[in-house]
Amino acid sequence: MSHERRTNPSGSTEMTETGAIERLRASVQRLEHSERLQRALFAIADMAASGLDMQRLLEGLHRIVSQLMYAENFYIALHDPQRETVRFVYFSDVMDGQVYRPDQEFTVGQLRDTITLRLIRRARPMRGSSDEIARALGLEQGHGVGTPSVDFMAVPMCRDGQVFGILAVQSYEEGRGYTQSDEHVLAFVAGHVLNAVERKLGQEALERRVAERTRELALANDRLQEQVRESERAVHLQATLYRIAALGHGQDSNEAFYRSIHQAVGELLNAESFCIALVSDDGQWLDFPYYVDSSGAELVRRPMGRGMSEYAIRCARTLRLEAEAIGALIEQGEVDAATYGTPAVSWLGAPLMGARGVMGVVVVQSYRSDLHYTQQDAELLTFVSYQIASTLQRRQQAEALQALNAQLEQRVQERTQELRRQIVVRERAQKQLKHQVMHDSLTGLPNRLYLRERLERALGAQKLDPARSFALLYLDVDRFKLFNDGLGHGVGDEVLRIVSARMADCVRAPDIVGRLSGDEFAVLLENCPQPSSACLVAERIQARMAEAIEVGGRQLHVSVSIGIAMSRQSYRTVDQLLHDADTALYRAKAAGRQRFVLFDEALHASAMNVLDLEQQMRVALEEEQFMSYFQPIVRLADGDVTGYEALIRWRHPEYGVLGPGQFLPAAEETGLIETIDWHMYRLAFQAAPALLGPDKILNINISPCHFHSRNFPRRLLDLAAWAGVAVDQLCVEVTESSLLSDPDAAAEILGSLHEAGVRIALDDFGTGYSSLSHVHRFPLRTLKIDRSFIAPLGLGAQQRSTAIVSAVLSLAASLDLDVVAEGVESTAQRDVLLSMGCVHAQGFLFGRPAPATGLP
């Protein structure tokens, strides 16, 4: 069967050549199609860059597309995504003609349910009959605008994924349709068409903006030119007005002034006929000090009548009148024709207003029919009238002032002599007043104000010369309150006068003695290089004060305490110096009075420590750092505890537990002792019920500050009742020294507590003054023998202490008082006290102070 498959070689060759020719022909067609497409794109680009208007550009685009495919029916729709509008910028259709205008803009609402809007929304090419495309787009058949087409093709014009319009072609003839290749070509051309159309639209918009801007600039330039002309006129007007205003301040004669005014006014308005008329002082005459009249009329002084000038004066306002108005005034009798003179075509007059009314009038008038005055001329002449009136008033006042100068000069000379006499009297009074202000009225010494002024000067001099040194002595009269209260204020004042005189005798110029207040004085030693020099002055003052004073039939002995502060470079203010001197004075009085103390760094550090300690104690009160400790009081015979003394301790966060001696002195000095006492009372009373039982006594210590409060007994008893402490289980301890501050108040406070059933104990008995008088005066129940008398007991040399303790025990037995021996620390001391008949004791031998929870 192989011979049946044999082929004709010549036939095979012919078939091969035919295939090759077909491929070459197809290739040539593709090349020709590509070349046409390329030429079309170049043509589109050239047209976009050409100067064609939009309509001719779109027609050219239509022709180019027609060269690529059948496009007799062609339209371009542009979409504005921002504004949501559509414009059919080009529409050519053989069936429907020109349905849309190129400049007509449709909203998406107006094109709803149209193929064009649906194609824009779809954003993809579509091809087919108009009915098929309508169904594909979800539109009803036949719904839309225009004649239905046999074949329709549209492609979107896109950029960056956004549709800016569509290109559409359509055919109404069978057999003339569009292929897939046509669709690709039209889609390819669409982007270039969009660029060309947008470029042309941009050019047209730019040309419109340029044209519009050119018109705006032209109008602006016209306005600017007009403003320049107006500005130039305004500058000239302003300069002339300034010149007119300046003329009023010149020294020219009246004639020269009026002539200059006339020249200036002539630059602003026509002033061929110009005159100034003034009313006489008595108001009966009208003078014409200056006039120029183009008609040749002469103006002479005349009685006030019915002329135009007089009419303007009567109206007291600027008048602008034409010939008709002037004629009407003549007919009405307001103006006399004979007085008026040559009739004017236009008349302008402004009154000269003075302090007492109208002084006159300035007038310009025109005899020419082509010259009429305007409202602006009236305003200018009004301004000129102000300047003329102002100048006339000033010159009149200058003449009056010159006439008064002679009289005034004589009066000034007389007044000068009188003032000189008054100045002498005033200076004398001021000197006396300054002395009174700067000196003390009682002693005649410089006062605090004068002393501060001198200290300021001394500090300033030391800053300029660091080698310069001075000293301040701060003095206080010891026990001056006793003189004042006991002998009367008259005696107290005499004591102060004698003390001040004696201190003044102890210093020499330029040193000064000043009285600060009450019984406080100060001495400023201006040239005091060494502290020893200040100390010598202090000794001299104290020696001088040792002499007795005879006042009111009595001989009094007065002493002073002195604090001394030497000048230092660290002082910046007078208050710092006064503070340090006062600190030294306080230490001198605390050391026993009648002595002097020199301020040094130790005192400064002590004062600072007190301030720091005060702040820490305030924090301790807020944070409950104070605690109540208790030390037992026992019966010597059997050692049983009969009571406890409440003592205060401070659990310091940095230094641990502090005893009362480490902070109570500072508390007394800073005024916190009362607050701390009440805090301790509350703590002690809270712990007392569980600690005491039914038969033990609680002892608390009272500071002297409580004797100044009459409410203290009631407050203490209320606190005890609140804590559940029975009154008969409460004992208050007072020291002998605390009773000396105010014995009467102390007796009243202690009496109230005694009447309420509270026991009273005298602490540290035997160490103070007049111990026996205290036993007699105050309602005491217990005497506590001071530890200084107990310490020697049991030692070899104890005879003196034994005698004192024995005397105290005998005294207490005779007065039916209890006795507690303090500070018992050994069995030998206990045995001696037992042998002497002492019943109660307190000390480390029986127990140290401890919190309530740590007691047996």
Side-chain angles (χ1 to χ4, degrees):
M1 294 294 294
S2 60
H3 64 276
E4 294 180 358
R5 294 175 176 238
R6 192 177 301 167
T7 59
N8 188 342
S10 60
S12 177
T13 300
E14 291 177 359
M15 292 179 61
T16 301
E17 290 175 354
T18 301
I21 291 172
E22 291 296 330
R23 287 193 297 273
L24 287 174
R25 188 174 296 157
S27 178
V28 169
Q29 290 177 351
R30 285 196 301 272
L31 289 175
E32 290 176 351
H33 181 74
S34 298
E35 184 179 359
R36 286 198 309 272
L37 184 59
Q38 191 68 35
R39 284 197 303 268
L41 295 179
F42 284 144
I44 293 173
D46 290 341
M47 293 180 68
S50 67
L52 298 175
D53 58 22
M54 176 59 74
Q55 186 60 32
R56 293 177 62 189
L57 171 67
L58 296 176
E59 291 173 354
L61 292 176
H62 186 188
R63 287 193 300 272
I64 293 171
V65 173
S66 297
Q67 295 173 5
L68 301 175
M69 65 188 68
Y70 176 72
E72 189 171 0
N73 305 299
F74 174 77
Y75 74 87
I76 302 174
L78 293 182
H79 173 234
D80 188 339
Q82 300 296 327
R83 301 175 58 213
E84 282 290 292
T85 59
V86 176
R87 285 176 53 200
F88 293 90
V89 295
Y90 185 81
F91 193 93
S92 177
D93 194 277
V94 296
M95 299 296 294
D96 298 327
Q98 187 67 36
V99 178
Y100 306 104
R101 296 196 315 273
D103 59 345
Q104 189 175 8
E105 193 171 47
F106 298 93
T107 64
V108 295
Q110 293 174 314
L111 296 180
R112 185 182 59 183
D113 298 333
T114 62
I115 291 177
T116 299
L117 182 61
R118 294 294 179 95
L119 288 171
I120 291 172
R121 297 292 192 215
R122 189 177 183 88
R124 290 202 306 269
M126 292 195 73
R127 184 164 46 85
S129 67
S130 57
D131 292 339
E132 292 173 347
I133 291 177
R135 287 193 299 271
L137 294 176
L139 297 174
E140 297 179 4
Q141 186 174 359
H143 187 79
V145 179
T147 305
S149 58
V150 175
D151 202 1
F152 180 90
M153 181 173 63
V155 296
M157 295 186 291
C158 302
R159 185 187 306 109
D160 300 328
Q162 195 168 15
V163 178
F164 290 90
I166 62 169
L167 289 183
V169 292
Q170 55 186 340
S171 171
Y172 299 106
E173 300 179 15
E174 292 291 344
R176 280 196 170 183
Y178 303 104
T179 65
Q180 184 69 35
S181 175
D182 294 333
E183 181 181 314
H184 291 322
V185 170
L186 191 61
F188 187 72
V189 171
H192 296 274
V193 171
L194 177 62
N195 291 336
V197 172
E198 287 188 338
R199 182 173 180 179
K200 181 56 65 175
L201 289 174
Q203 288 177 352
E204 289 184 349
L206 179 60
E207 289 173 357
R208 286 194 301 272
R209 288 195 297 271
V210 169
E212 183 178 350
R213 184 58 178 162
T214 301
R215 287 193 301 272
E216 292 176 355
L217 290 175
L219 291 175
N221 182 61
D222 293 340
R223 290 194 296 269
L224 182 60
Q225 292 297 328
E226 183 61 27
Q227 291 174 2
V228 169
R229 289 190 293 272
E230 289 293 333
S231 177
E232 290 174 349
R233 287 194 295 269
V235 168
H236 178 260
L237 173 62
Q238 193 68 31
T240 305
L241 294 178
Y242 281 148
R243 183 152 55 91
I244 292 173
L247 289 174
H249 297 280
Q251 302 299 323
D252 297 337
S253 63
N254 287 343
E255 177 65 25
F257 168 69
Y258 296 143
R259 187 165 48 251
S260 299
I261 287 289
H262 183 198
Q263 293 173 356
V265 171
E267 297 180 11
L268 301 177
L269 51 86
N270 187 284
E272 296 175 355
S273 299
F274 177 86
C275 80
I276 296 175
L278 299 178
V279 180
S280 61
D281 292 338
D282 58 6
Q284 300 300 316
W285 295 87
L286 189 65
D287 293 315
F288 296 91
Y290 181 85
Y291 71 90
V292 173
D293 195 278
S294 61
S295 68
E298 294 185 3
L299 301 178
V300 296
R301 190 183 196 211
R302 70 187 184 209
M304 291 291 291
R306 289 287 176 177
M308 285 295 297
S309 297
E310 290 90 331
Y311 178 72
I313 292 173
R314 290 198 304 272
C315 292
R317 58 186 175 84
T318 301
L319 297 177
R320 182 170 60 91
L321 302 172
E322 298 299 310
E324 295 81 2
I326 297 173
L329 292 174
I330 294 174
E331 291 178 2
Q332 295 169 8
E334 292 288 347
V335 175
D336 184 8
T339 305
Y340 171 47
T342 305
V345 175
S346 184
W347 189 92
L348 181 61
L352 304 176
M353 304 300 297
R356 292 179 296 178
V358 181
M359 301 168 54
V361 65
V362 56
V363 176
V364 292
Q365 52 188 346
S366 168
Y367 301 107
R368 293 161 35 190
S369 58
D370 61 339
L371 176 59
H372 297 269
Y373 295 110
T374 64
Q375 182 60 34
Q376 184 178 7
D377 296 334
E379 293 173 356
L380 291 173
L381 193 64
T382 302
F383 176 80
V384 172
S385 71
Y386 293 157
Q387 302 304 318
I388 296 174
S390 175
T391 301
L392 291 175
Q393 288 185 95
R394 186 170 58 254
R395 295 193 176 198
Q396 292 173 357
Q397 292 168 359
E399 293 173 358
L401 181 62
Q402 186 175 7
L404 293 174
N405 277 342
Q407 301 176 13
L408 181 60
E409 185 175 354
Q410 179 62 31
R411 293 184 61 186
V412 166
Q413 292 178 356
E414 295 173 357
R415 183 59 177 162
T416 300
Q417 295 298 326
E418 182 182 354
L419 288 176
R420 285 176 179 171
R421 291 191 297 270
Q422 292 179 0
I423 288 172
V424 172
V425 174
R426 181 174 296 178
E427 287 178 347
R428 189 182 301 117
Q430 288 178 343
K431 186 175 182 181
Q432 182 178 0
L433 180 60
K434 183 177 181 182
H435 183 273
Q436 293 175 354
V437 170
M438 305 293 282
H439 288 74
D440 176 49
S441 60
L442 176 64
T443 63
L445 294 177
N447 58 14
R448 179 183 291 271
L449 183 63
Y450 184 85
L451 180 68
R452 289 183 66 90
E453 183 179 309
R454 289 289 296 271
L455 287 173
E456 291 280 4
R457 287 161 52 186
L459 284 174
Q462 188 183 46
K463 291 177 182 178
L464 297 176
D465 182 10
R468 188 183 183 93
S469 181
F470 63 93
L472 177 66
L473 279 64
Y474 208 108
L475 301 92
D476 180 90
V477 179
D478 297 330
R479 300 182 302 158
F480 177 73
K481 190 174 185 299
L482 295 178
F483 300 141
N484 227 16
D485 296 345
L487 303 177
H489 291 283
V491 173
D493 291 346
E494 185 62 24
V495 169
L496 291 178
R497 280 192 286 267
I498 296 173
V499 167
S500 63
R502 290 185 176 183
M503 283 192 290
D505 292 340
C506 297
V507 299
R508 60 183 183 276
D511 303 335
I512 61 168
V513 177
R515 183 187 179 199
L516 300 181
S517 64
D519 61 331
E520 293 183 350
F521 296 84
V523 177
L524 173 61
L525 306 177
E526 294 229 9
N527 188 12
C528 185
Q530 299 294 332
S532 58
S533 301
C535 293
L536 288 175
V537 174
E539 291 175 352
R540 189 159 60 242
I541 292 173
Q542 288 184 333
R544 185 75 174 84
M545 295 299 167
E547 303 173 12
I549 295 176
E550 182 100 17
V551 179
R554 295 173 177 268
Q555 276 198 342
L556 303 177
H557 293 275
V558 179
S559 64
V560 295
S561 298
I562 305 174
I564 305 173
M566 299 298 297
S567 62
R568 296 184 296 177
Q569 291 295 321
S570 59
Y571 287 136
R572 293 290 180 268
T573 65
V574 171
D575 290 330
Q576 292 176 322
L577 182 63
L578 289 171
H579 175 270
D580 290 351
D582 186 48
T583 300
L585 172 62
Y586 175 80
R587 290 308 175 98
K589 295 180 74 68
R593 300 185 176 88
Q594 199 174 352
R595 64 189 65 209
F596 64 86
V597 171
L598 182 66
F599 183 84
D600 57 12
E601 290 299 330
L603 285 181
H604 179 72
S606 176
M608 294 304 294
N609 288 339
V610 170
L611 292 176
D612 292 340
L613 194 57
E614 177 186 5
Q615 180 60 29
Q616 294 176 17
M617 286 189 291
R618 293 184 185 277
V619 174
L621 286 169
E622 294 176 0
E623 298 182 357
E624 299 283 346
Q625 295 177 6
F626 291 110
M627 302 181 300
S628 182
Y629 273 45
F630 300 89
Q631 186 175 26
I633 300 173
V634 302
R635 191 167 41 244
L636 288 173
D638 54 11
D640 287 346
V641 176
T642 60
Y644 295 92
E645 180 181 358
L647 304 170
I648 191 168
R649 294 293 186 270
W650 180 4
R651 188 178 295 279
H652 196 283
E654 183 177 354
Y655 303 115
V657 178
L658 303 180
Q662 295 175 275
F663 60 89
L664 285 186
E668 292 177 352
E669 184 174 346
T670 58
L672 286 174
I673 184 64
E674 185 174 1
T675 304
I676 293 176
D677 275 354
W678 282 109
H679 184 72
M680 190 273 288
Y681 297 158
R682 179 175 58 83
L683 294 176
F685 287 176
Q686 285 178 328
L691 182 65
L692 297 179
D695 56 349
K696 295 183 177 62
I697 305 299
L698 176 66
N699 288 28
I700 60 173
N701 293 278
I702 298 181
S703 302
C705 64
H706 296 298
F707 293 145
H708 301 297
S709 174
R710 295 181 178 274
N711 191 42
F712 174 76
R714 174 49 49 200
R715 185 178 177 185
L716 185 68
L717 294 173
D718 289 344
L719 184 62
W722 169 80
V725 178
V727 175
D728 58 357
Q729 289 185 283
L730 183 62
C731 177
V732 297
E733 297 186 11
V734 294
T735 61
E736 294 185 78
S737 59
S738 66
L739 299 177
L740 293 175
S741 61
D742 194 344
D744 294 336
E748 181 180 353
I749 296 296
L750 295 178
S752 297
L753 292 173
H754 175 70
E755 291 176 2
V758 178
R759 301 167 183 259
I760 311 298
L762 184 59
D763 197 12
D764 301 334
F765 183 76
T767 60
Y769 301 101
S770 304
S771 296
L772 294 178
S773 66
H774 297 156
V775 173
H776 172 72
R777 183 174 183 181
F778 298 103
L780 302 177
R781 177 72 177 273
T782 303
L783 299 179
K784 299 187 74 173
I785 304 176
D786 188 70
R787 66 179 58 247
S788 62
F789 302 117
I790 304 301
L793 299 181
L795 302 177
Q798 62 180 7
Q799 183 176 0
R800 186 177 180 85
S801 295
T802 303
I804 293 174
V805 173
S806 178
V808 172
L809 291 173
S810 298
L811 175 65
S814 64
L815 296 177
D816 194 21
L817 298 177
D818 295 331
V819 176
V820 176
E822 292 186 300
V824 178
E825 298 182 357
S826 66
T827 55
Q829 294 171 342
R830 181 193 62 187
D831 294 342
V832 171
L833 291 170
L834 272 173
S835 66
M836 296 175 66
C838 183
V839 179
H840 298 92
Q842 178 180 354
F844 290 169
L845 178 65
F846 311 109
R848 293 179 176 272
T853 56
L855 294 173

